[in-house]
Amino acid sequence: MRSTITARGQTVVPAPIRERFQLGPSMRLEWIVEGDGTIRVVPVALDPITAFRGSGAGGATTRLLADRRHDRQQGA
């Protein structure tokens, strides 16, 4: 599927993608640039702590909070 980027930097998430991943208004998307130059777009739960609960070997919450703190300091 394709979408176009507007002059204001906006794009539309195609309806089949929104439906499959239950994306709605005000939902946030994380844009991740991979080492090989590809871009991944990942939906982020409204409560990021809940999104990470139960995943990984432990310490995910601590890492998430540190990442968010770093983002705020960088003005992201």
Side-chain angles (χ1 to χ4, degrees):
M1 285 177 234
R2 295 182 181 179
S3 63
T4 303
I5 299 173
T6 69
R8 293 180 57 190
Q10 299 172 328
T11 191
V12 174
V13 178
I17 299 291
R18 291 193 315 266
E19 292 166 5
R20 178 175 176 182
F21 294 97
Q22 300 175 349
L23 302 175
S26 300
M27 288 204 59
R28 296 195 176 263
L29 301 173
E30 182 86 18
W31 294 75
I32 302 167
V33 178
E34 299 289 350
D36 63 359
T38 59
I39 301 170
R40 278 193 309 140
V41 181
V42 180
V44 178
L46 295 176
D47 177 7
I49 303 300
T50 302
F52 281 92
R53 183 159 292 147
S55 65
T61 301
T62 302
R63 285 191 306 276
L64 174 67
L65 292 174
D67 287 346
R68 295 294 184 242
R69 190 168 29 257
H70 179 266
D71 290 346
R72 280 193 304 274
Q73 291 170 349
Q74 297 301 316

